[in-house]
Amino acid sequence: MSAHNVEDVYGLSPLQFGMLYHSLEDTSDTRPYMVQMTEEVEGPFDETLFGVAWQQLVDRHSILRSAFVWEGVSEPVQVVQRQAPLPFEVRDLRGLSGQEEQLSTFLAEDWDRGFDLSRAPLVRVTVLRMGEERRIVVWSFHHILLDGWSVQILQKELFALYRALLGGTSAELPPTVPYRRYIEWLNSRQDDGSAAFWTDYLAGVTEPTALHIDRDTGDTGVGEFEVCASAELFARARDYAKSQRVTMNTLVQGLWSVLLSRYSRQDEVLFGSTISGRSIDLPGVESMMGLFINTLPVRGRLTGDLVVSEWLRDLQDEQLEMRQWEYCHLVDVQKHSRIPRGEPLFRSILVFENYPVVQKPSDFPEGLTRRLVNCVERTGYPLTLVVSAGRALEFRFVYDRSRFDAKTVERMAGHLESLLTSVVDSPGARIGDLNMLTVGERREVLVEWNGVTGPYPDAATIHQLVEERVAAGPDAVAVVHGERRWTYGEINARANRLAHHLRGTGVTADTLVAVCLDRSPELIATLLG
């Protein structure tokens, strides 16, 4: 980053600031906010011209030539380089055995490389030749540069440049609007009264919503689980949303609110929601390349007697009101809550992908086809739900494996799908009527658990049966609570001591004795006594 190569210097957007902070603080090597896209390309393909097209794209957009400086400055800044050569590589795997294993090894190595945020460009591309007309294109970048909307623009322009190079012509692309314009617009919005809105919206919030399903698993890394709703359920969900005059985004936010409420056992929940940030009054914002999304809190206030459809419309109205403040810095937003400093505002975020698809099959050179094989990305939150409602309704859970295990997340996905089914099946239902259990869980609770029978002496009492177990094997474990284990002999001895104490105070048969204890071994011994 030499002085003569610096084209521009300016500040960061709210989410860029947050991503920089999380990236620098990460000690788990999960590479938060790194994105790795893997595409399969089939047909005639010129790798050299493809690399040139990529470099032209980097030269064209200032955000792709940006690096970040945070040391020796009062506030972090992004520095645009005049020139930023793109790391572009071609690897030939044709005819080699174990191609898929070599691909997997490369993807892991590419991920482990990560990015040095102080060095531009924060993008690299590798083409792996798998066959004469089959290639895998891997392009990795840091999310601090681009959002999903920008990726659509980038890919459309990339293939326009590539087609022009193939034909020996110049691509006809619109003039670019630098990302600096957005930062300038943000700076003009300072001290505009947003504090009053967020103070009111977060009034009474004292702690992030607990899920009660996360724990120390002893594992590491990031896990993913994806489920796709059936085409029939997707169609019914769209029809329901349309009939109730709510968006699919609002419907999904409502489902997530109900799920968090059931898990946390609270009537109010708080989670993060990622918004496009493109609805602002800034000329040309729809075609600008950069990071415009922002993550802001969604507060779900729900009780069992609320009609779901009416509650969803209220939730949507609240979100529309929030639109005018969607550019606010999350750090500043959190200051208006009563959550202690250092604690997160929320522990889960919902990403609803709803950006326009700007590419058409005709945009690609004749005979060339491409498909997305995989897209790996990480956030700085323990649990992220990414929802896509384009051609299908897909739910992708991205979770911290040190906090959640795979079975827990899979069960949560089943509960979310059950809630969706319950909502669309009963348009007039109240929140308390919604079913969360899957078909298998309902069968287990209602049939299997109630179908177990065994011999039981009609005349025996509980304390007699316990005493028989004590006589048969006093050292057998009777109660387990965390790390504590009581044998039948121990629990019976404690019950006997309490029984003798009660008798000494005049307690006889049919005398009421109040017991006030948490669920614990002491409670069992007390009731037995």
Side-chain angles (χ1 to χ4, degrees):
M1 192 181 291
S2 58
H4 76 275
N5 196 35
V6 173
E7 178 180 296
D8 203 356
V9 180
Y10 48 88
L12 277 60
S13 71
L15 195 57
Q16 280 185 315
F17 186 91
M19 287 184 178
L20 177 64
Y21 174 80
H22 281 297
S23 298
L24 296 177
E25 289 293 307
D26 177 58
T27 57
S28 62
D29 292 329
T30 58
R31 311 292 180 204
Y33 302 112
M34 178 172 161
V35 182
Q36 184 188 69
M37 298 188 70
T38 306
E39 297 180 311
E40 183 181 57
V41 178
E42 292 187 319
F45 191 72
D46 188 319
E47 291 100 343
T48 301
L49 293 183
F50 187 66
V52 173
W54 259 107
Q55 186 62 59
Q56 288 181 351
L57 198 64
V58 172
D59 296 341
R60 173 175 160 80
H61 291 283
S62 60
I63 190 67
L64 297 179
R65 289 179 275 115
S66 295
F68 295 81
V69 174
W70 56 90
E71 294 181 337
V73 290
S74 57
E75 284 193 2
V77 293
Q78 46 194 322
V79 181
V80 180
Q81 311 290 283
R82 296 184 189 279
Q83 295 180 336
L86 174 78
F88 183 85
E89 182 184 2
V90 178
R91 296 191 180 188
D92 195 346
L93 303 184
R94 291 176 296 180
L96 300 181
S97 60
Q99 279 188 345
E100 296 305 318
E101 289 79 5
Q102 293 193 48
L103 174 60
S104 297
T105 299
F106 168 77
L107 292 174
E109 291 173 349
D110 177 72
W111 184 268
D112 288 340
R113 284 174 64 186
F115 285 101
D116 178 355
L117 295 180
S118 67
R119 299 177 65 87
L122 301 177
V123 183
R124 60 175 172 266
V125 180
T126 304
V127 178
L128 298 102
R129 295 176 179 168
M130 311 298 283
E132 292 305 317
E133 292 201 343
R134 177 174 176 262
R135 292 160 178 81
I136 298 295
V137 178
V138 180
W139 66 288
S140 302
F141 64 95
H142 200 285
H143 206 345
I144 200 169
L145 298 183
L146 305 169
D147 53 24
W149 192 308
S150 296
V151 168
Q152 298 290 312
I153 299 171
L154 180 149
Q155 291 183 324
K156 184 178 179 66
E157 291 191 358
L158 172 66
F159 279 92
L161 292 166
Y162 176 62
R163 287 182 65 187
L165 288 168
L166 287 174
T169 62
S170 298
E172 296 182 2
L173 296 176
T176 61
V177 181
Y179 189 61
R180 161 183 270 282
R181 298 278 180 84
Y182 174 58
I183 301 300
E184 290 172 345
W185 182 90
L186 283 175
N187 292 336
S188 71
R189 308 293 294 183
Q190 301 293 336
D191 301 322
D192 57 357
S194 60
F197 172 82
W198 292 116
T199 300
D200 179 65
Y201 188 74
L202 296 174
V205 175
T206 58
E207 60 181 0
T209 301
L211 295 176
H212 299 307
I213 57 171
D214 53 332
R215 57 186 177 83
D216 184 2
T217 65
D219 206 345
T220 58
V222 177
E224 290 192 21
F225 179 77
E226 187 170 322
V227 62
C228 184
S230 67
E232 183 262 342
L233 179 57
F234 181 30
R236 287 198 295 139
R238 283 187 301 187
D239 291 343
Y240 172 85
K242 185 177 180 179
S243 67
Q244 302 303 326
R245 305 188 306 282
V246 298
T247 64
M248 283 294 292
N249 187 13
T250 298
L251 175 57
V252 172
Q253 285 189 353
L255 294 172
W256 192 241
S257 297
V258 175
L259 187 71
L260 293 182
S261 176
R262 299 279 178 91
Y263 273 52
S264 65
R265 299 184 291 278
Q266 295 179 353
D267 291 338
E268 289 199 9
V269 297
L270 198 68
F271 60 92
S273 176
T274 300
I275 53 180
S276 73
R278 303 266 180 167
S279 60
I280 60 176
D281 183 22
L282 176 62
V285 69
E286 299 87 359
S287 61
M288 291 173 67
M289 191 93 79
L291 186 72
F292 292 85
I293 58 173
N294 198 7
T295 301
L296 292 173
V298 174
R299 189 173 186 178
R301 303 174 176 90
L302 56 169
T303 55
D305 60 344
L306 292 172
V307 177
V308 175
S309 56
E310 297 175 0
W311 172 70
L312 286 175
R313 285 192 288 272
D314 289 341
L315 181 64
Q316 182 164 276
D317 290 343
E318 225 173 31
Q319 294 299 296
L320 289 173
E321 184 183 1
M322 191 186 294
R323 275 284 179 87
Q324 59 184 314
W325 316 114
E326 66 181 23
Y327 59 86
C328 293
H329 200 311
L330 183 59
V331 173
D332 294 330
V333 171
Q334 181 163 348
K335 292 176 183 176
H336 303 296
S337 76
R338 292 171 56 197
I339 291 180
R341 189 171 184 175
E343 279 283 308
L345 190 58
F346 33 75
R347 292 195 173 99
S348 68
I349 64 170
L350 170 63
V351 181
F352 188 84
E353 295 183 337
N354 193 31
Y355 39 79
V357 178
V358 297
Q359 282 186 294
K360 306 182 296 294
S362 60
D363 291 335
F364 307 116
E366 186 175 352
L368 187 70
T369 61
R370 55 186 281 269
R371 69 180 183 90
L372 180 65
V373 177
N374 194 23
C375 180
V376 182
E377 56 183 310
R378 303 289 181 252
T379 72
Y381 294 92
L383 181 63
T384 301
L385 172 61
V386 182
V387 182
S388 174
R391 296 185 180 90
L393 182 57
E394 298 174 337
F395 301 96
R396 180 161 58 93
F397 291 79
V398 183
Y399 59 95
D400 183 347
R401 288 167 54 186
S402 70
R403 303 274 296 276
F404 301 92
D405 59 62
K407 288 185 178 180
T408 298
V409 174
E410 185 175 349
R411 186 165 60 248
M412 176 179 277
H415 290 161
L416 188 64
E417 194 169 8
S418 294
L419 284 171
L420 174 60
T421 303
S422 186
V423 167
V424 300
D425 280 349
S426 307
R430 299 180 183 276
I431 291 177
D433 299 330
L434 297 178
N435 168 58
M436 187 177 78
L437 298 181
T438 63
V439 174
E441 288 173 333
R442 286 176 65 84
R443 182 177 63 252
E444 186 177 45
V445 172
L446 299 178
V447 179
E448 295 175 8
W449 288 354
N450 288 324
V452 179
T453 59
Y456 189 85
D458 294 339
T461 61
I462 291 293
H463 64 272
Q464 287 175 337
L465 293 174
V466 170
E467 287 172 347
E468 289 177 9
R469 287 299 303 269
V470 172
D475 296 329
V477 175
V479 179
V480 177
H481 183 251
E483 299 298 322
R484 303 168 64 191
R485 281 168 167 72
W486 284 7
T487 65
Y488 277 97
E490 289 172 326
I491 203 167
N492 190 56
R494 290 172 182 268
N496 283 337
R497 284 199 295 271
L498 177 60
H500 284 101
H501 171 73
L502 292 175
R503 285 179 180 175
T505 61
V507 172
T508 59
D510 297 325
T511 302
L512 291 178
V513 178
V515 175
C516 182
L517 287 171
D518 291 329
R519 291 172 182 261
S520 60
E522 286 81 5
L523 175 62
I524 295 175
T526 299
L527 296 178
L528 186 61

